[in-house]
């Protein structure tokens, strides 16, 4: 009718592949390069959804900060800046080790891939460990959402009866939601990284096929990037 | 069997292949683990049609409740206000989240988009299957919520009512959250597929307009749905832990919820209408045997609608308590978003002008769409004008407006598409006379139901009302009778469509004379769509007798 | 075309209503014209260009001039309509400084109004004709919405903050107020009457709570029944013995009963108990019920309380037996001199409005 066809495949069996083709080649792609490029587009689109997911929380935080400027300034003094800074460094290191893992995969260096992936997982675990200490401290001091917040010395915004403003608790409501959601993403990252570490150990990745390492690397960099925004917003900015 | 279709292009069919995608493999396991976009599309179709049925039953019950102001049938009061509140909530939630948002993209586009592109599947077939299973899980969660206490918040879940009322609200919220991910995965798949799996020779401006519409929809799905996700998560946190951001008693802002909610839900209505318009852009050229008038304008209007849809959400909140500046800005932007839709209407009419028009069932639905969407769009103008909106918002005028655009628009277009691609999907033709009859019933019933509601709303009848003043009674009676006519129309449709499945698979490859690539495959297609990669040699909608090479 | 306007829109009750309606009707006629402009070609083309085998259609891909025209003209129309709507809205949005301010405290599912002098009413409101009135509103629980169709005004009522709406009523008599933001079971019962009064009527109302009660002077139970329906009692208390979800005890057969409270005490249901239940509902809670009844202190006039007592007695097992209830409606004694305590059992008497 409106088309002619050209046969872009080698002669093949019923499923369209099965010769010297890569075992990972999916039949609806013309070649591995197209498959790899498409996978990357898919991952970038998924990362866009993550940006919007967290973006909603960032916007919410900004609106509440507008409503309770003084409370937010005073509340953030209660955060443990050294621990936050430590976590930032840890995540930056993990991003570096992730980059190295991808590079090693590209060079078909199986040992290095496994090593760097394990280092990345280690950094992620340290991050979560530090988070545990931070959260424990908050619970002990009742630095919690408004319903459970206890007034701290230095909380100057109060009503006539002496009750502390709800703005302090609101700060911590957002603190827990944003760092909590981020922490969940770190946890998911650990699971995904463990999975590809196992696959790397089995020798699945090489110059010809390292897509999962690359894609999970992209995910990991985004999780790191989100923390790079979270940390100054909560711990540093006055 | 010979079909006497006036518009069928006299093309000799290729010999019918023995194995097609339906019978290539057998057994329920082969369906449950399929990664074939066509099978996934069919499973989705069964799912969304079931959801449409459930949502439709709720609608009939809502209208039945409103038939008499004392809610009596044969002398007995059969429904309470609490029950009614659950019915209208579930009608909305099921129709919006389980039916209309996935309807065209997940069922029809899943089936047709790769075929139209000349591809063997979508970019990520396994993600496609995951998307379907997420829909199923969301549906199961929603149904469980309905039978364990249900929800009476309205489909919009406004706080503080939604955070304080009893019922299975958190479960329903989580169901919608899961359904959101189903939608996101579909969107990711379609964007990637459109970018990377087009046939050689198919540039962006050689794409069928259906693809443009679905692509624009997919962009919204990817960018807007995550905001719904976070909104629902926050709502769940508020309801379960009383975290406080929406609770005014502990420093929160209930109107903040509305901003979050509508930031997704306004683009969502474009997720609903763009695929409908995309279908109309296929039906009108095909059944007019004429090239699309203003192809580029229609393509650009799809994308501009997608982008503009993100900046008008505040028009749902003119009386909600947002700032006066916001109100004025959102009104102005809302008028901007009216223009691309108007452009499409004129282009469709321009396509029909001097065409060679045959009125098979899909074209009946297309023309119905033009009339009904026109009314829906024009009444949107009333609501965008601030002084008039103050009077009309939160009344039946709004209910009528959104039913005209969502049902008179998307649902009509969806069923037009179902009929159009029915022979391709099932390999059978349905009965044309019954098809046109059902279309007429639905068109008439729809107008009887909803035209009266414009007047009722203008006269001051608020929405979500169980009891009402006696002056509104005649309007409610007319509206309820209309709902029965709609029900009859869809019952008829179900009957003849199901009956068609008992016939032998003898539909032609291209019963309508379409020019897009799906019509070059057999009806139904084989498992892998195309044995050899098709190369595009002619732009779509080219009905010139001597095809001009690209 | 007034017949068409009045078929589609409520009576024009405010100074503002006329211009809203003018824009509405303009949009209506524009829509009719544009709809015909779309429907007629669609149907005409389907007939005029109906299928003929072998006919070749022209290959019209676009027409730039036409497309520009049908983009620009709608755009200009939309801009015009935007400004027209904005113009009307700006009048709605800002209340004049001399408006009489009435406070609304909305609650599931009652309208509580408070006048400048502190007088309060439930589910009815009196305003002065041709004088701007501004409603400053807040909610005690969930979102509500103050909608007066005749006046063409509407605005949400939000808990935790104040919103406002204003209008100048121009039509004397009774108008309808209705809640327009879904608020649960009683949403469609949350109605109020708005009375647009002359100066004399308004002043008299503020002094005595109106004259309607005088028709029921000798029939207090009938007056009580009217309050039962108007003041929101009906939403939570049945009169046929049935239990109301999230409500209170049915009134059927309770007069003269010894009712058990949640602390085990037995209390006689008589005038004193009923009065206390209306004004200080938390003082005694009947066993098996929640302490959720709002107080009607300041919301019920003395004659209305008397009527309700008589009505409840009439629902008793023996309407002629049991403790006494009022048989004639009587106004409370005139207000005590400033500095002395008000007589016990009175609602706060109205003072002269400013």
């Amino acid at each position: 009718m409106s088309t002619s066809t050209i046969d872009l495949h080698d002669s093949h069996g019923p499923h369209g592949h099965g010769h010297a083709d890569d075992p990972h080649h999916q039949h609806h792609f013309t070649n591995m390069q197209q498959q790899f490029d498409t996978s990357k587009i898919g991952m970038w689109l998924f990362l866009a959804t993550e940006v919007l997911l967290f973006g909603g929380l960032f916007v919410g935080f900004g609106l509440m900060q507008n409503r309770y400027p003084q409370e937010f300034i005073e509340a953030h003094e209660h955060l443990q800046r050294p621990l936050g800074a430590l976590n930032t460094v840890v995540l930056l290191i993990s991003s570096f080790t992730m980059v190295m893992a991808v590079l090693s995969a590209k060079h078909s260096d199986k040992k290095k891939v496994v090593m760097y992936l394990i280092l990345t997982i280690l950094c992620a675990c340290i991050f979560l460990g530090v988070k545990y200490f931070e959260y424990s401290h908050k619970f002990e001091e009742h630095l919690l959402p408004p319903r459970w917040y206890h007034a701290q010395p230095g909380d100057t915004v109060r009503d006539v009866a002496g009750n502390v403003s709800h703005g302090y608790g609101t700060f911590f409501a957002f603190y827990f939601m944003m760092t909590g959601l981020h922490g969940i993403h770190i946890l998911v990252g650990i699971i995904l990284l463990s999975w590809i570490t196992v696959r790397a150990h089995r020798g699945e990745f090489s110059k010809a096929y390292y897509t999962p390492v690359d894609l999970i690397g992209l995910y990991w960099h985004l999780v790191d990037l989100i923390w790079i925004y979270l940390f100054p917003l909560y711990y540093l900015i006055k | 069997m010979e079909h006497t279709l006036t518009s069928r292009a006299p093309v000799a069919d290729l010999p019918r292949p023995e194995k097609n995608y339906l019978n290539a493999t057998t057994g329920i396991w082969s369906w449950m683990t399929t990664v074939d976009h066509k099978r996934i599309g069919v499973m989705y179709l069964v799912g969304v049609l079931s959801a449409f049925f459930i949502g439709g039953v709720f609608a009939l019950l809502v209208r039945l409740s409103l038939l008499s102001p004392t809610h009596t049938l044969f002398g007995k009061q059969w429904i309470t206000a609490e029950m009614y509140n659950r019915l209208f909530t579930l009608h909305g939630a099921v129709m919006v989240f389980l039916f209309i948002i996935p309807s065209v993209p997940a069922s029809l586009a899943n089936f047709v988009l790769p075929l139209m592109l000349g591809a063997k599947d979508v970019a990520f077939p396994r993600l496609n299957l995951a998307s379907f299973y997420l829909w199923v899980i969301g549906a199961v969660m929603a149904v469980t919520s309905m039978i364990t206490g249900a929800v009476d918040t309205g489909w919009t879940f406004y706080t503080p009512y939604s955070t304080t009322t009893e019922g299975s609200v958190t479960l329903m919220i989580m169901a919608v959250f899961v359904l959101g991910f189903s939608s996101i995965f579909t969107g990711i798949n379609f964007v990637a597929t459109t970018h990377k799996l087009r046939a050689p020779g198919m540039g962006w401006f050689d794409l069928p307009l259906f693809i443009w519409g679905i692509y624009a929809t997919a962009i919204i799905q990817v960018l807007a749905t995550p905001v719904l996700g976070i909104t629902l998560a926050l709502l769940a946190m508020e309801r379960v832990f009383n975290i406080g951001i929406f609770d005014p008693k502990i420093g929160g802002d209930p109107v903040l919820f509305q901003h979050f909610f509508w930031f997704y839900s306004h683009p969502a209505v474009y997720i609903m209408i763009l695929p409908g318009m995309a279908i109309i852009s296929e039906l009108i050229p095909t059944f007019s045997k004429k090239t699309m008038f203003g192809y580029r304008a229609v393509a650009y209007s799809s994308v501009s609608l997608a982008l503009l849809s993100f900046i008008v959400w505040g028009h749902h909140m003119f009386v909600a308590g947002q700032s006066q500046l916001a109100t004025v800005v959102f009104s102005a932007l809302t008028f901007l978003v009216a223009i691309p839709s108007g452009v499409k209407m004129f282009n469709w009419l321009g396509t029909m002008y001097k065409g060679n028009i045959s009125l098979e069932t899909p074209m009946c639905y297309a023309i119905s769409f033009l009339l009904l969407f026109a009314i829906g769009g024009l009444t949107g103008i009333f609501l965008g004008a601030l002084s008039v909106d103050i009077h009309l918002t939160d009344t039946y005028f709004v209910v009528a407006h959104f039913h005209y655009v969502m049902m008179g628009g998307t649902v009509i277009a969806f069923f037009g598409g179902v009929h159009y691609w029915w022979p391709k999907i099932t390999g059978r033709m349905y009965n044309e006379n019954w098809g046109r009859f059902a279309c007429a019933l639905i068109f008439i019933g729809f107008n009887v139901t909803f035209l009266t509601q414009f007047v009722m709303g203008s006269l001051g009848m608020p929405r979500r009302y169980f009891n009402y003043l006696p002056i509104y009674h005649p309007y409610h009676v007319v509206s309820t009778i209309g709902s029965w006519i709609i029900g009859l129309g869809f019952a008829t449709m179900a009957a003849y469509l199901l009956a068609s499945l008992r016939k032998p698979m003898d539909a032609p490859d291209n019963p309508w004379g379409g020019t897009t690539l799906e019509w070059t495959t057999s009806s139904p297609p084989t498992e892998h769509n195309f044995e050899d990669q098709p190369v595009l040699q002619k732009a779509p909608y080219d009905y010139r007798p001597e095809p001009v090479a690209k | 075309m007034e017949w068409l306007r009045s078929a589609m829109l409520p009576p024009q009750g405010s100074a503002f209503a006329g211009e809203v309606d003018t824009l509405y009707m303009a949009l209506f006629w524009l829509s009719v014209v544009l709809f015909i402009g779309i429907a007629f070609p669609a149907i005409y083309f389907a007939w005029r260009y109906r299928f003929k085998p072998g006919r070749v259609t022209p290959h019209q891909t676009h027409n730039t001039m036409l497309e520009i025209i049908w983009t620009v003209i709608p755009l200009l129309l939309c801009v015009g309509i935007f400004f027209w709507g904005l113009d009307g809205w700006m009048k709605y949005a800002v209340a004049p400084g001399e408006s009489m301010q009435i406070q609304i405290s909305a609650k599931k599912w009652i309208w509580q109004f408070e006048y400048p002098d502190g007088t309060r009413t439930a589910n009815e409101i009196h305003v002065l004709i041709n004088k701007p009135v501004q409603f400053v509103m807040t909610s005690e629980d969930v979102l509500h919405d103050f909608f007066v169709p005749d006046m063409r005004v509407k605005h949400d009522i939000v808990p935790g903050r104040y919103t406002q709406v204003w209008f100048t009523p121009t039509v004397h008599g009774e108008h309808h107020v209705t809640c327009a933001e879904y608020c649960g079971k009683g949403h469609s019962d949350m109605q109020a009457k708005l009375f647009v009064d002359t100066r004399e009527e308004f002043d008299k109302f503020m002094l005595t709570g109106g004259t309607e009660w005088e028709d029921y002077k000798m029939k207090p139970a009938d007056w009580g029944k009217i309050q039962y329906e108007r003041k929101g009692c009906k939403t939570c208390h049945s009169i046929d013995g049935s239990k109301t979800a999230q409500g209170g005890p049915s009134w059927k057969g309770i007069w003269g009963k010894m009712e058990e409270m949640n602390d085990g005490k037995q209390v006689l249901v008589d005038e004193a108990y009923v009065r206390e239940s209306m004004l200080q509902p938390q003082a005694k809670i009947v066993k098996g019920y929640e302490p959720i009844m709002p107080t009607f202190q300041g919301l019920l006039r003395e004659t209305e309380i008397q009527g309700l007592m008589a009505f409840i007695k009439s629902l008793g097992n023996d309407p002629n037996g049991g403790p006494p209830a009022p048989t004639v409606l009587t106004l409370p004694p005139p207000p005590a001199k400033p500095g002395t305590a008000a007589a016990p059992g009175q609602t706060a008497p109205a003072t002269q409005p400013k």
Side-chain angles (χ1 to χ4, degrees):
Chain A
M1 261 196 69
S2 58
T3 68
S4 68
T5 65
I6 56 176
D7 190 356
L8 293 176
H9 294 154
D10 298 335
S11 63
H12 45 251
H15 285 285
H17 59 81
H19 39 284
D21 205 7
D22 190 302
H24 295 104
H25 180 201
Q26 294 175 51
H27 76 105
H28 54 289
F29 289 111
T30 329
N31 54 48
M32 287 301 286
Q33 186 59 44
Q34 187 195 43
Q35 181 175 314
F36 180 64
D37 290 343
T38 310
S39 302
K40 279 199 103 136
I41 290 182
M43 181 47 87
W44 278 108
L45 287 165
F46 176 71
L47 296 185
T49 69
E50 294 278 41
V51 169
L52 277 138
L53 188 77
F54 279 94
L57 287 174
F58 275 95
V59 167
F61 178 87
L63 291 168
M64 283 305 182
Q65 183 184 45
N66 211 1
R67 207 186 219 219
Y68 299 114
Q70 186 60 27
E71 294 90 321
F72 271 43
I73 291 175
E74 291 174 12
H76 103 283
E77 299 292 338
H78 302 304
L79 295 178
Q80 295 163 300
R81 228 169 270 157
L83 289 183
L86 173 63
N87 262 349
T88 308
V89 169
V90 165
L91 273 192
L92 283 170
I93 292 173
S94 78
S95 261
F96 170 71
T97 55
M98 189 70 226
V99 167
M100 294 309 295
V102 175
L103 263 176
S104 308
K106 259 192 195 163
H107 294 137
S108 304
D109 189 338
K110 175 179 132 172
K111 276 209 174 64
K112 286 238 175 78
V113 175
V114 174
M115 177 187 86
Y116 280 118
L117 284 177
I118 289 180
L119 282 175
T120 311
I121 294 173
L122 198 61
C123 288
C125 291
I126 293 173
F127 181 93
L128 287 182
V130 172
K131 265 258 122 1
Y132 169 77
F133 286 116
E134 283 195 87
Y135 275 24
S136 309
H137 168 254
K138 304 286 170 305
F139 273 82
E140 268 163 35
E141 303 292 318
H142 284 271
L143 293 167
L144 295 168
R147 207 169 126 186
W148 307 280
Y149 182 79
H150 284 192
Q152 308 288 319
D155 287 351
T156 62
V157 185
R158 293 165 186 266
D159 66 14
V160 178
N163 299 316
V164 78
S165 151
H166 293 304
Y168 299 98
T170 305
F171 175 89
F172 285 102
F174 271 93
Y175 171 80
F176 279 107
M177 286 195 291
M178 289 178 80
T179 58
L181 186 63
H182 181 258
I184 291 172
H185 280 79
I186 297 266
L187 192 59
V188 169
I190 292 175
I191 295 170
L192 293 172
L193 287 164
S194 307
W195 175 59
I196 53 165
T197 307
V198 169
R199 291 178 69 183
H201 183 68
R202 287 200 205 131
E204 275 189 47
F205 305 126
S206 69
K207 177 162 48 186
Y209 176 74
Y210 61 96
T211 312
V213 188
D214 197 315
L215 296 189
I216 290 178
L218 281 175
Y219 170 78
W220 192 253
H221 292 313
L222 182 79
V223 174
D224 184 21
L225 187 66
I226 289 171
W227 179 259
I228 302 295
Y229 276 91
L230 268 182
F231 174 64
L233 184 68
Y234 274 96
Y235 292 79
L236 299 181
I237 296 182
K238 289 212 189 299
Chain B
M1 197 178 100
E2 190 59 32
H3 296 279
T4 51
L5 295 167
T6 52
S7 69
R8 186 167 52 143
V11 172
D13 286 353
L14 296 167
R16 190 176 297 279
E18 236 187 68
K19 289 265 181 220
N20 55 58
Y21 80 98
L22 288 166
N23 59 22
T25 54
T26 54
I28 195 164
W29 188 248
S30 76
W31 279 83
M32 285 174 66
T33 56
T34 184
V35 289
D36 179 353
H37 67 100
K38 300 181 293 299
R39 285 192 169 193
I40 294 174
V42 166
M43 292 195 290
Y44 256 119
L45 189 61
V46 171
V48 301
L49 287 175
S50 310
F52 183 67
F53 172 73
I54 294 175
V57 167
F58 286 138
L60 288 170
L61 288 171
V62 166
R63 283 273 21 120
L64 194 61
S65 314
L66 294 169
L67 185 61
S68 102
T70 51
H71 320 291
T72 50
L73 267 186
F74 312 113
K76 293 185 77 84
Q77 171 153 3
W78 66 279
I79 188 161
T80 59
E82 295 96 312
M83 194 58 185
Y84 176 79
N85 292 340
R86 284 170 171 71
L87 280 177
F88 78 69
T89 299
L90 293 174
H91 165 69
V94 167
M95 284 304 203
V96 169
F97 295 114
L98 280 173
F99 168 65
I100 207 171
I101 285 179
S103 62
V104 175
S107 66
L108 293 177
N110 235 332
F111 195 98
V112 168
L113 182 133
L115 292 170
M116 271 189 180
L117 289 176
K120 289 193 165 186
D121 209 316
V122 290
F124 311 119
R126 288 171 298 190
L127 190 69
N128 206 3
L129 186 65
S131 168
F132 174 69
Y133 276 116
L134 285 175
W135 184 92
V136 172
I137 291 170
V140 168
M141 289 168 74
V143 170
T144 309
S145 156
M146 285 180 224
I147 54 186
T148 58
V151 183
D152 72 335
T153 60
W155 81 276
T156 48
F157 298 115
Y158 276 13
T159 55
Y161 188 81
S162 61
T163 48
T164 54
T165 187
E166 287 171 10
S168 229
V169 180
T170 307
L171 183 56
M172 181 61 87
I173 291 172
M174 291 292 101
V176 177
F177 184 89
V178 170
L179 291 167
F181 274 95
S182 172
S183 186
I184 287 174
F185 288 167
T186 302
I188 290 177
N189 234 328
F190 287 165
V191 171
T193 309
T194 309
H195 275 274
K196 297 299 286 183
L197 292 181
R198 297 193 305 276
M202 194 183 281
W204 280 89
F205 293 108
D206 302 308
L207 288 174
L209 287 166
F210 181 72
I211 308 279
W212 274 102
I214 297 296
Y215 177 77
T217 305
I219 297 207
I220 307 178
Q221 282 176 294
V222 167
L223 295 179
T225 319
V227 179
L228 176 71
I230 198 67
T231 304
L232 295 171
L234 289 174
L235 190 61
M237 290 275 109
E238 184 66 69
R239 196 175 157 84
V240 174
F241 295 116
N242 194 203
I243 199 153
I245 55 173
F246 301 133
D247 184 349
K249 294 200 204 62
I250 49 179
D253 181 2
V255 179
L256 180 62
F257 175 81
Q258 295 180 42
H259 281 289
F260 269 116
F261 179 82
W262 286 112
F263 188 84
Y264 163 73
S265 296
H266 188 80
V269 313
Y270 288 88
I271 295 177
M272 300 174 201
I273 195 60
L274 278 171
M277 291 171 158
I279 293 177
I280 302 301
S281 292
E282 293 302 313
L283 299 182
I284 295 206
T286 300
F287 290 93
S288 306
K289 294 286 168 297
K290 184 162 169 274
T291 195
M292 184 71 202
F293 186 89
Y295 172 98
R296 294 221 172 190
V298 175
Y300 287 138
S301 72
S302 297
V303 176
S304 60
L305 277 176
L307 298 173
L308 284 170
S309 73
F310 278 93
I311 53 174
V312 296
W313 79 89
H315 70 220
H316 300 270
M317 297 170 59
F318 284 153
V319 296
Q322 66 184 358
S323 77
Q324 295 183 332
L325 176 64
T327 298
V328 173
V329 169
F330 279 121
S331 171
L333 291 170
T334 300
F335 280 102
L336 260 191
V337 84
I339 304 301
S341 302
V343 163
K344 283 189 202 251
M345 290 290 246
F346 298 130
N347 279 306
W348 288 320
L349 288 172
T351 306
M352 287 175 74
Y353 174 68
K354 292 199 170 157
N356 198 9
I357 299 170
S358 54
L359 290 174
E360 277 98 345
T361 306
M363 190 57 170
C364 293
Y365 279 101
I367 296 183
S368 300
F369 177 96
L370 292 179
L371 271 54
L372 298 176
F373 185 74
I375 295 176
L378 289 167
T379 51
I381 302 281
F382 283 76
L383 295 169
L386 286 172
S387 57
V388 171
D389 181 80
I390 301 301
H391 178 65
L392 295 176
T393 192
D394 282 319
T395 68
Y396 261 73
F397 192 95
V398 178
V399 175
H401 161 73
F402 67 67
H403 279 93
Y404 264 89
V405 283
M406 292 208 289
M407 186 172 177
T410 302
V411 174
I412 290 289
F414 171 71
F415 283 105
V418 167
H419 285 78
Y420 183 55
W421 284 302
W422 189 259
K424 186 57 59 185
I425 296 173
T426 66
R428 287 111 168 162
M429 296 297 294
Y430 55 85
N431 182 301
E432 263 303 325
N433 290 326
W434 281 111
R436 286 180 279 212
F437 174 70
C439 179
L441 264 186
I442 291 169
F443 181 84
I444 292 169
F446 179 84
N447 281 301
V448 171
T449 309
F450 291 106
L451 214 47
T452 45
Q453 293 187 5
F454 284 123
V455 181
M456 230 201 300
S458 304
L459 286 170
M461 168 85 198
R463 48 185 295 203
R464 297 173 166 172
Y465 257 41
F466 179 60
N467 291 318
Y468 53 83
L469 294 176
I471 55 161
Y472 302 116
H473 189 203
Y475 300 97
H476 277 295
V477 172
V478 171
S479 194
T480 301
I481 292 174
S483 73
W484 297 336
I485 301 174
I486 297 178
L488 198 60
F490 280 113
T492 310
M493 186 199 288
Y496 69 72
L497 285 181
L498 286 170
S500 79
L501 295 177
R502 291 154 167 261
K503 300 195 286 195
M505 263 192 211
D506 60 355
D509 293 353
N510 190 356
W512 318 116
T515 58
T516 43
L517 282 179
E518 77 271 27
W519 302 110
T520 65
T521 65
S522 55
S523 297
T526 58
E527 196 183 353
H528 297 295
N529 300 347
F530 305 97
E531 281 316 307
D532 306 312
Q533 174 68 59
V535 174
L536 190 66
Q537 293 205 313
K538 187 167 92 156
Y541 322 122
D542 194 335
Y543 284 97
R544 287 174 292 191
E546 285 310 313
V548 177
K550 270 178 40 38
Chain C
M1 290 277 120
E2 170 57 25
W3 65 270
L4 186 61
R5 189 213 65 78
S6 61
M8 295 196 292
L9 290 161
Q12 291 174 345
S14 72
F16 175 66
E19 51 187 286
V20 173
D21 288 6
T22 305
L23 176 53
Y24 180 101
M25 291 310 293
L27 291 175
F28 173 79
W29 287 116
L30 180 67
S31 302
V32 167
V33 167
L34 288 175
F35 176 73
I36 292 176
I38 290 169
F40 177 74
I43 296 170
Y44 175 70
F45 291 167
W47 170 78
R48 169 82 175 80
Y49 303 111
R50 59 194 178 282
F51 185 81
K52 282 186 178 42
R55 179 178 29 191
V56 173
T57 57
H59 192 69
Q60 293 169 339
T61 57
H62 63 285
N63 178 329
T64 312
M65 179 50 58
L66 188 58
E67 292 181 60
I68 290 178
I69 290 176
W70 71 39
T71 309
V72 169
I73 291 188
L75 184 62
L76 291 173
L77 277 173
C78 281
V79 169
I81 297 168
F82 163 70
F83 278 108
W84 193 349
L86 176 66
D87 182 62
W89 177 83
M90 289 200 297
K91 297 193 183 82
Y92 150 91
V94 182
E98 70 270 17
S99 309
M100 173 169 72
Q101 261 202 15
I102 296 182
Q103 313 240 27
I104 299 182
S105 184
K107 179 187 165 84
K108 285 193 260 186
W109 292 282
I110 323 173
W111 295 98
Q112 298 166 124
F113 298 98
E114 184 173 320
Y115 297 82
D117 68 351
T119 308
R120 299 171 69 205
T121 52
N123 293 343
E124 73 175 74
I125 181 74
H126 288 256
V127 295
L128 278 166
I129 191 167
N130 295 326
K131 291 270 184 284
V133 58
Q134 181 192 35
F135 293 89
V136 177
M137 332 187 268
T138 187
S139 165
E140 295 178 29
D141 43 33
V142 298
L143 295 174
H144 297 280
D145 187 294
F146 181 69
F147 177 32
V148 194
D150 288 356
M151 309 299 170
R152 310 292 188 273
V153 296
K154 178 190 289 116
H155 204 285
D156 275 9
I157 305 177
V158 183
R161 56 182 272 210
Y162 290 98
T163 52
Q164 67 88 31
V165 83
W166 81 278
F167 56 87
T168 301
T170 53
V171 171
H172 181 263
E174 186 181 318
H175 302 268
H176 194 62
V177 174
T178 187
C179 179
E181 187 62 57
Y182 175 70
C183 51
K185 182 182 99 164
H187 172 53
S188 54
D189 297 321
M190 195 165 161
Q191 320 279 322
K193 289 188 204 285
L194 179 123
F195 295 100
V196 177
D197 291 341
T198 61
R199 181 93 237 172
E200 297 76 38
E201 289 168 335
F202 184 82
D203 288 347
K204 181 154 189 214
F205 169 77
M206 294 300 276
L207 193 58
T208 63
T211 57
E212 193 186 353
W213 69 276
E214 287 173 1
D215 297 336
Y216 295 88
K217 217 165 173 175
M218 309 307 291
K219 299 176 285 181
D222 292 347
W223 183 233
K225 178 158 199 235
I226 291 173
Q227 303 318 309
Y228 166 74
E229 273 153 17
R230 277 192 196 159
K231 295 294 195 267
C233 322
K234 176 169 140 161
T235 313
C236 296
H237 296 277
S238 77
I239 52 173
D240 62 359
S242 63
K243 195 167 157 71
T244 314
Q246 294 157 47
S250 176
W251 289 353
K252 187 177 163 74
I254 59 168
W255 192 264
K257 226 175 101 174
M258 289 303 286
E259 192 71 87
E260 187 178 348
M261 300 298 130
N262 63 359
D263 58 3
K265 291 211 178 70
Q266 298 273 336
V267 175
L268 177 67
V269 177
D270 62 357
E271 273 192 29
Y273 170 74
V274 167
R275 184 185 289 275
E276 184 190 49
S277 298
M278 290 184 211
L279 303 181
Q280 291 155 56
Q282 313 293 318
K284 295 187 178 63
I285 308 293
V286 175
K287 186 171 170 149
Y289 291 91
E290 298 293 312
I292 52 174
M293 177 170 164
T295 175
F296 283 77
Q297 179 80 45
L299 293 173
L300 288 172
R301 299 186 179 272
E302 179 59 27
T303 49
E304 292 160 356
I305 294 177
Q306 293 167 3
L308 281 164
M309 290 193 231
F311 177 57
I312 295 176
K313 176 165 169 140
S314 76
L315 301 170
N317 292 326
D318 178 5
N320 291 319
T327 49
V328 172
L329 295 175
T330 46
L331 275 179
K337 287 214 174 51
T340 64
Q346 280 186 345
T347 54
T351 53
Q352 279 285 58
K354 297 190 189 23

